[in-house]
Amino acid sequence: MKIIKVLIAVVVLAVIGSAATVMIAPAGTAAFLVDLKRGLGDLEKKEITLSSGLKYVYLESDNKDADTLVLLHGFGADKDNFTESAPYLKDFHLIVPDHIGFGESSKPEDADYSPLAQARRLHELFTLLDLKRRIHIGGSSMGGHIAMTYASIYPAEVKSLWLLDPGGVWSAPESEMARIIRETGVNPLTAKTEEEFRDVFDLVMSEPPFVPGFVKDQMARKRIANFDLEQKIFAQLKADSVEARVTGLATPTLLVWGKEDRVLHVGAVDVLEKLMPNVTTIKMDGIGHLPQLEAPAETAQDLKDFIAGLEQ
Protein backbone atom coordinates (compact mmCIF):
# COMPACT_ATOMS: atom_id res chain seq x y z
CA MET A 1 0.00 0.00 0.00
CA LYS A 2 2.86 2.31 0.90
CA ILE A 3 4.53 1.64 -2.48
CA ILE A 4 1.30 2.50 -4.30
CA LYS A 5 1.05 5.78 -2.40
CA VAL A 6 4.65 6.61 -3.28
CA LEU A 7 4.00 5.85 -6.97
CA ILE A 8 0.90 8.03 -6.95
CA ALA A 9 2.88 10.84 -5.35
CA VAL A 10 5.59 10.53 -8.01
CA VAL A 11 3.01 10.67 -10.80
CA VAL A 12 1.30 13.70 -9.22
CA LEU A 13 4.63 15.49 -8.87
CA ALA A 14 5.53 14.66 -12.48
CA VAL A 15 2.22 16.05 -13.70
CA ILE A 16 2.62 19.19 -11.60
CA GLY A 17 6.20 19.58 -12.82
CA SER A 18 5.15 19.16 -16.44
CA ALA A 19 2.34 21.67 -16.05
CA ALA A 20 4.71 24.13 -14.41
CA THR A 21 7.24 23.70 -17.19
CA VAL A 22 4.57 24.39 -19.81
CA MET A 23 3.41 27.51 -17.97
CA ILE A 24 6.91 28.87 -17.38
CA ALA A 25 8.53 27.91 -20.71
CA PRO A 26 5.91 26.97 -23.31
CA ALA A 27 8.23 27.67 -26.25
CA GLY A 28 10.95 25.43 -24.84
CA THR A 29 8.47 22.68 -24.05
CA ALA A 30 7.00 22.86 -27.55
CA ALA A 31 10.50 22.68 -29.06
CA PHE A 32 11.27 19.64 -26.89
CA LEU A 33 8.14 17.87 -28.15
CA VAL A 34 9.05 18.68 -31.77
CA ASP A 35 12.54 17.22 -31.24
CA LEU A 36 10.99 14.16 -29.62
CA LYS A 37 8.73 13.61 -32.63
CA ARG A 38 11.67 14.00 -35.01
CA GLY A 39 13.62 11.47 -32.99
CA LEU A 40 10.90 8.86 -33.45
CA GLY A 41 11.51 9.12 -37.19
CA ASP A 42 15.31 9.12 -36.80
CA LEU A 43 15.40 12.63 -38.27
CA GLU A 44 18.20 15.08 -37.62
CA LYS A 45 18.01 18.81 -38.36
CA LYS A 46 20.68 20.17 -40.71
CA GLU A 47 21.26 23.26 -42.83
CA ILE A 48 23.07 24.20 -46.02
CA THR A 49 23.60 27.41 -47.99
CA LEU A 50 23.01 27.80 -51.72
CA SER A 51 25.28 29.75 -54.07
CA SER A 52 22.76 32.62 -53.83
CA GLY A 53 23.29 32.84 -50.08
CA LEU A 54 19.84 31.43 -49.30
CA LYS A 55 19.80 28.93 -46.45
CA TYR A 56 17.89 25.65 -46.48
CA VAL A 57 17.07 23.99 -43.17
CA TYR A 58 16.06 20.37 -43.56
CA LEU A 59 15.57 17.08 -41.75
CA GLU A 60 17.52 14.01 -42.81
CA SER A 61 17.50 10.38 -41.73
CA ASP A 62 20.71 8.37 -41.52
CA ASN A 63 19.59 5.51 -43.77
CA LYS A 64 21.82 6.71 -46.63
CA ASP A 65 22.18 3.31 -48.31
CA ALA A 66 18.43 3.19 -49.01
CA ASP A 67 16.47 4.91 -51.78
CA THR A 68 16.10 8.64 -51.17
CA LEU A 69 12.59 9.97 -50.53
CA VAL A 70 12.27 13.75 -50.53
CA LEU A 71 9.17 15.09 -48.76
CA LEU A 72 7.89 18.58 -49.57
CA HIS A 73 5.49 20.38 -47.24
CA GLY A 74 2.56 22.55 -48.23
CA PHE A 75 1.71 26.24 -48.02
CA GLY A 76 2.03 27.71 -44.53
CA ALA A 77 3.48 24.46 -43.20
CA ASP A 78 7.05 23.34 -42.58
CA LYS A 79 9.26 20.25 -42.53
CA ASP A 80 7.55 18.90 -39.40
CA ASN A 81 4.39 18.21 -41.41
CA PHE A 82 6.01 14.86 -42.17
CA THR A 83 7.27 13.84 -38.73
CA GLU A 84 4.06 11.87 -38.11
CA SER A 85 4.79 9.78 -41.22
CA ALA A 86 8.56 9.46 -40.77
CA PRO A 87 8.49 6.55 -38.27
CA TYR A 88 6.66 4.49 -40.91
CA LEU A 89 9.11 5.44 -43.68
CA LYS A 90 12.37 4.23 -42.16
CA ASP A 91 12.96 2.04 -45.22
CA PHE A 92 14.01 5.24 -47.02
CA HIS A 93 16.73 7.85 -46.77
CA LEU A 94 14.54 10.84 -45.95
CA ILE A 95 15.23 14.45 -46.90
CA VAL A 96 12.57 16.88 -45.62
CA PRO A 97 13.34 20.56 -46.30
CA ASP A 98 11.67 23.77 -45.26
CA HIS A 99 10.91 25.52 -48.55
CA ILE A 100 12.56 28.89 -48.98
CA GLY A 101 10.02 31.30 -47.45
CA PHE A 102 8.87 28.89 -44.74
CA GLY A 103 9.97 27.29 -41.49
CA GLU A 104 13.58 27.93 -40.60
CA SER A 105 14.82 28.41 -44.17
CA SER A 106 15.61 31.85 -45.60
CA LYS A 107 12.66 34.19 -46.17
CA PRO A 108 13.70 36.92 -48.62
CA GLU A 109 10.90 39.46 -49.06
CA ASP A 110 11.17 39.97 -52.81
CA ALA A 111 12.19 36.51 -54.06
CA ASP A 112 10.56 34.51 -56.83
CA TYR A 113 8.39 31.95 -54.99
CA SER A 114 6.83 30.36 -58.06
CA PRO A 115 6.92 26.55 -58.19
CA LEU A 116 9.47 26.76 -61.02
CA ALA A 117 11.82 28.87 -58.88
CA GLN A 118 11.37 26.60 -55.88
CA ALA A 119 12.03 23.50 -58.01
CA ARG A 120 15.26 24.99 -59.35
CA ARG A 121 16.40 25.83 -55.82
CA LEU A 122 15.66 22.27 -54.75
CA HIS A 123 17.73 21.00 -57.65
CA GLU A 124 20.72 22.93 -56.34
CA LEU A 125 20.02 21.62 -52.84
CA PHE A 126 19.96 18.03 -54.07
CA THR A 127 23.18 18.60 -56.01
CA LEU A 128 24.89 19.97 -52.90
CA LEU A 129 23.64 16.97 -50.92
CA ASP A 130 25.16 14.70 -53.60
CA LEU A 131 21.94 12.81 -54.31
CA LYS A 132 23.41 11.07 -57.35
CA ARG A 133 20.76 8.39 -57.64
CA ARG A 134 17.27 9.00 -58.93
CA ILE A 135 14.96 10.02 -56.11
CA HIS A 136 11.37 9.54 -55.06
CA ILE A 137 9.58 12.83 -54.32
CA GLY A 138 6.51 13.26 -52.17
CA GLY A 139 4.63 16.53 -51.92
CA SER A 140 1.66 17.78 -49.93
CA SER A 141 -0.54 20.57 -51.36
CA MET A 142 1.91 23.29 -52.50
CA GLY A 143 4.64 20.70 -52.07
CA GLY A 144 2.85 18.50 -54.60
CA HIS A 145 2.63 21.47 -56.97
CA ILE A 146 6.41 21.90 -56.65
CA ALA A 147 7.06 18.13 -56.88
CA MET A 148 5.17 17.88 -60.18
CA THR A 149 7.06 20.92 -61.46
CA TYR A 150 10.38 19.37 -60.46
CA ALA A 151 9.56 16.12 -62.26
CA SER A 152 8.53 18.04 -65.36
CA ILE A 153 11.85 19.89 -65.67
CA TYR A 154 14.14 17.13 -64.34
CA PRO A 155 12.28 13.96 -65.42
CA ALA A 156 15.40 11.78 -65.59
CA GLU A 157 16.09 12.42 -61.90
CA VAL A 158 12.73 11.33 -60.47
CA LYS A 159 11.84 7.65 -59.91
CA SER A 160 8.33 8.31 -58.65
CA LEU A 161 5.95 10.97 -57.36
CA TRP A 162 3.79 10.75 -54.23
CA LEU A 163 1.18 13.50 -54.48
CA LEU A 164 -0.93 14.26 -51.40
CA ASP A 165 -3.82 16.58 -52.34
CA PRO A 166 -1.48 18.58 -54.59
CA GLY A 167 -2.01 22.19 -55.66
CA GLY A 168 -1.69 23.79 -59.06
CA VAL A 169 -4.72 22.12 -60.68
CA TRP A 170 -6.77 25.26 -61.00
CA SER A 171 -9.30 23.95 -63.56
CA ALA A 172 -10.68 21.62 -60.87
CA PRO A 173 -14.10 22.35 -59.28
CA GLU A 174 -14.15 25.19 -56.77
CA SER A 175 -13.26 24.15 -53.22
CA GLU A 176 -14.66 25.59 -50.00
CA MET A 177 -11.45 27.54 -49.49
CA ALA A 178 -11.59 28.99 -53.00
CA ARG A 179 -15.22 30.02 -52.47
CA ILE A 180 -14.31 31.82 -49.22
CA ILE A 181 -11.52 33.71 -50.96
CA ARG A 182 -13.84 34.64 -53.87
CA GLU A 183 -16.62 35.85 -51.59
CA THR A 184 -14.60 37.58 -48.87
CA GLY A 185 -11.16 38.26 -50.29
CA VAL A 186 -9.70 36.64 -47.16
CA ASN A 187 -7.37 33.66 -47.41
CA PRO A 188 -8.46 31.21 -44.67
CA LEU A 189 -5.09 29.43 -44.86
CA THR A 190 -3.33 32.44 -43.31
CA ALA A 191 -3.61 33.78 -39.78
CA LYS A 192 -3.05 37.07 -37.95
CA THR A 193 -4.10 35.77 -34.51
CA GLU A 194 -3.83 32.55 -32.53
CA GLU A 195 -7.60 32.12 -32.83
CA GLU A 196 -7.42 32.40 -36.63
CA PHE A 197 -4.65 29.81 -36.67
CA ARG A 198 -6.88 27.35 -34.81
CA ASP A 199 -9.44 27.91 -37.56
CA VAL A 200 -6.76 27.08 -40.14
CA PHE A 201 -5.98 23.91 -38.22
CA ASP A 202 -9.64 22.89 -38.34
CA LEU A 203 -9.96 23.76 -42.04
CA VAL A 204 -7.10 21.60 -43.26
CA MET A 205 -7.86 18.38 -41.38
CA SER A 206 -10.90 16.24 -40.72
CA GLU A 207 -9.01 13.85 -38.42
CA PRO A 208 -6.17 15.90 -36.92
CA PRO A 209 -3.63 14.30 -34.58
CA PHE A 210 -3.71 15.53 -30.99
CA VAL A 211 -1.68 18.70 -30.56
CA PRO A 212 -1.60 20.42 -27.14
CA GLY A 213 -2.99 23.93 -27.11
CA PHE A 214 0.32 25.53 -26.10
CA VAL A 215 2.02 23.82 -29.06
CA LYS A 216 -0.65 25.17 -31.42
CA ASP A 217 -0.03 28.63 -29.98
CA GLN A 218 3.70 28.35 -30.69
CA MET A 219 2.90 27.20 -34.24
CA ALA A 220 0.48 30.12 -34.58
CA ARG A 221 3.11 32.70 -33.63
CA LYS A 222 5.39 31.52 -36.43
CA ARG A 223 2.55 31.79 -38.96
CA ILE A 224 1.55 35.22 -37.70
CA ALA A 225 5.14 36.45 -38.08
CA ASN A 226 5.17 35.18 -41.67
CA PHE A 227 1.72 36.55 -42.58
CA ASP A 228 2.77 39.28 -45.03
CA LEU A 229 5.20 37.08 -46.91
CA GLU A 230 2.63 34.30 -47.16
CA GLN A 231 0.26 36.67 -48.96
CA LYS A 232 2.90 37.25 -51.64
CA ILE A 233 3.73 33.56 -51.94
CA PHE A 234 0.08 32.53 -52.23
CA ALA A 235 -0.50 35.04 -55.04
CA GLN A 236 2.41 33.55 -56.97
CA LEU A 237 1.09 30.03 -56.44
CA LYS A 238 -2.38 30.92 -57.71
CA ALA A 239 -0.84 32.51 -60.81
CA ASP A 240 0.88 29.24 -61.71
CA SER A 241 -1.00 26.27 -63.17
CA VAL A 242 0.82 22.96 -63.30
CA GLU A 243 -1.56 21.40 -65.83
CA ALA A 244 0.27 22.16 -69.09
CA ARG A 245 3.55 21.30 -67.39
CA VAL A 246 2.51 17.76 -66.46
CA THR A 247 0.56 16.90 -69.59
CA GLY A 248 2.02 13.61 -70.77
CA LEU A 249 4.42 13.35 -67.79
CA ALA A 250 5.13 9.62 -67.53
CA THR A 251 6.70 9.54 -64.05
CA PRO A 252 5.04 6.76 -61.99
CA THR A 253 2.74 8.62 -59.63
CA LEU A 254 0.76 7.71 -56.53
CA LEU A 255 -2.01 10.30 -56.20
CA VAL A 256 -3.70 10.43 -52.79
CA TRP A 257 -6.66 12.66 -51.96
CA GLY A 258 -8.77 13.03 -48.84
CA LYS A 259 -12.45 12.93 -49.78
CA GLU A 260 -13.22 15.53 -47.10
CA ASP A 261 -10.64 18.03 -48.39
CA ARG A 262 -12.03 21.56 -47.98
CA VAL A 263 -8.90 23.29 -49.29
CA LEU A 264 -8.51 21.68 -52.73
CA HIS A 265 -11.43 19.90 -54.39
CA VAL A 266 -11.11 16.15 -54.80
CA GLY A 267 -12.35 16.65 -58.37
CA ALA A 268 -8.78 17.61 -59.26
CA VAL A 269 -8.11 13.86 -59.35
CA ASP A 270 -10.08 13.56 -62.60
CA VAL A 271 -8.02 16.34 -64.16
CA LEU A 272 -4.66 14.81 -63.24
CA GLU A 273 -5.71 11.33 -64.32
CA LYS A 274 -6.42 12.70 -67.79
CA LEU A 275 -3.16 14.64 -68.00
CA MET A 276 -0.71 12.12 -66.56
CA PRO A 277 -0.59 8.64 -68.14
CA ASN A 278 0.96 6.72 -65.23
CA VAL A 279 -1.16 7.59 -62.19
CA THR A 280 -2.42 5.30 -59.44
CA THR A 281 -5.12 6.99 -57.35
CA ILE A 282 -6.27 6.47 -53.77
CA LYS A 283 -9.21 8.48 -52.40
CA MET A 284 -9.36 8.33 -48.60
CA ASP A 285 -12.69 8.25 -46.75
CA GLY A 286 -13.05 10.66 -43.84
CA ILE A 287 -9.73 12.38 -44.51
CA GLY A 288 -9.17 16.05 -45.25
CA HIS A 289 -6.34 17.97 -46.86
CA LEU A 290 -3.39 16.40 -45.02
CA PRO A 291 -3.47 12.58 -45.23
CA GLN A 292 0.12 12.27 -44.00
CA LEU A 293 -0.93 13.85 -40.70
CA GLU A 294 -4.44 12.42 -40.44
CA ALA A 295 -3.59 8.81 -41.36
CA PRO A 296 0.22 8.60 -41.30
CA ALA A 297 0.59 4.83 -41.02
CA GLU A 298 -1.91 4.11 -43.78
CA THR A 299 -0.54 6.67 -46.21
CA ALA A 300 3.04 5.54 -45.60
CA GLN A 301 2.13 1.89 -46.18
CA ASP A 302 0.30 2.79 -49.39
CA LEU A 303 3.46 4.51 -50.62
CA LYS A 304 5.70 1.58 -49.70
CA ASP A 305 3.38 -0.85 -51.47
CA PHE A 306 3.31 1.42 -54.53
CA ILE A 307 7.10 1.69 -54.75
CA ALA A 308 7.54 -2.03 -54.11
CA GLY A 309 5.21 -2.66 -57.06
CA LEU A 310 7.37 -0.49 -59.33
CA GLU A 311 10.40 -2.61 -58.53
CA GLN A 312 8.81 -5.96 -59.38
Side-chain angles (χ1 to χ4, degrees):
M1 192 66 157
K2 186 175 182 180
I3 293 175
I4 293 175
K5 289 182 178 179
V6 170
L7 290 173
I8 292 173
V10 168
V11 171
V12 169
L13 288 172
V15 170
I16 293 173
S18 297
T21 300
V22 170
M23 292 174 65
I24 295 170
T29 306
F32 169 78
L33 293 176
V34 168
D35 286 340
L36 182 65
K37 184 68 71 173
R38 292 173 184 171
L40 293 174
D42 296 334
L43 295 171
E44 180 182 354
K45 188 174 83 170
K46 301 180 180 182
E47 63 179 63
I48 198 166
T49 302
L50 303 183
S51 59
S52 62
L54 295 176
K55 179 183 72 175
Y56 265 112
V57 177
Y58 63 98
L59 302 176
E60 182 175 14
S61 68
D62 195 42
N63 192 10
K64 294 186 178 180
D65 292 330
D67 282 358
T68 296
L69 171 61
V70 175
L71 299 172
L72 305 178
H73 68 77
F75 176 81
D78 60 28
K79 56 191 174 298
D80 288 301
N81 253 213
F82 284 99
T83 53
E84 293 287 338
S85 298
Y88 306 104
L89 295 170
K90 291 184 178 182
D91 297 342
F92 299 98
H93 169 225
L94 298 178
I95 299 286
V96 194
D98 280 330
H99 293 296
I100 299 299
F102 297 94
E104 298 177 89
S105 290
S106 294
K107 301 181 181 68
E109 285 293 323
D110 298 317
D112 182 353
Y113 287 104
S114 68
L116 279 166
Q118 295 283 39
R120 290 181 179 124
R121 292 188 191 106
L122 287 170
H123 188 259
E124 184 179 351
L125 171 66
F126 301 159
T127 300
L128 290 173
L129 294 179
D130 197 25
L131 301 182
K132 294 179 180 178
R133 294 166 293 177
R134 295 172 68 206
I135 58 178
H136 304 280
I137 302 182
S140 165
S141 193
M142 177 190 74
H145 191 164
I146 296 169
M148 287 187 281
T149 300
Y150 190 97
S152 74
I153 57 179
Y154 306 109
E157 300 181 16
V158 182
K159 293 179 74 172
S160 75
L161 287 171
W162 183 33
L163 304 177
L164 299 152
D165 302 55
V169 188
W170 306 136
S171 71
E174 185 178 57
S175 66
E176 180 179 340
M177 180 196 74
R179 177 183 57 77
I180 292 171
I181 293 173
R182 175 173 55 79
E183 292 178 352
T184 69
V186 175
N187 183 352
L189 284 182
T190 60
K192 287 196 259 187
T193 67
E194 292 174 1
E195 183 178 351
E196 287 180 0
F197 176 76
R198 289 172 185 262
D199 291 338
V200 174
F201 206 82
D202 292 338
L203 174 69
V204 297
M205 287 182 280
S206 291
E207 294 291 339
F210 172 72
V211 178
F214 71 93
V215 174
K216 286 184 182 178
D217 290 342
Q218 293 301 315
M219 295 166 66
R221 290 179 187 122
K222 294 176 183 178
R223 293 294 307 280
I224 293 165
N226 211 36
F227 178 85
D228 290 337
L229 182 57
E230 286 187 7
Q231 306 305 308
K232 297 178 182 179
I233 295 174
F234 191 80
Q236 292 187 37
L237 289 174
K238 287 298 295 180
D240 181 272
S241 171
V242 77
E243 294 173 44
R245 204 172 292 146
V246 300
T247 298
L249 181 65
T251 305
T253 299
L254 178 61
L255 176 61
V256 179
W257 218 291
K259 290 184 179 179
E260 305 304 317
D261 192 342
R262 300 162 62 195
V263 176
L264 297 173
H265 199 287
V266 67
V269 165
D270 297 333
V271 178
L272 288 175
E273 287 179 336
K274 291 175 183 176
L275 298 177
M276 301 170 68
N278 201 2
V279 173
T280 299
T281 299
I282 297 174
K283 295 181 182 179
M284 302 185 72
D285 292 325
I287 300 298
H289 186 57
L290 299 173
Q292 78 277 13
L293 285 173
E294 299 177 64
E298 182 180 351
T299 53
Q301 188 59 53
D302 287 339
L303 175 66
K304 290 190 287 186
D305 291 344
F306 174 74
I307 291 176
L310 298 178
E311 296 170 352
Q312 291 178 355

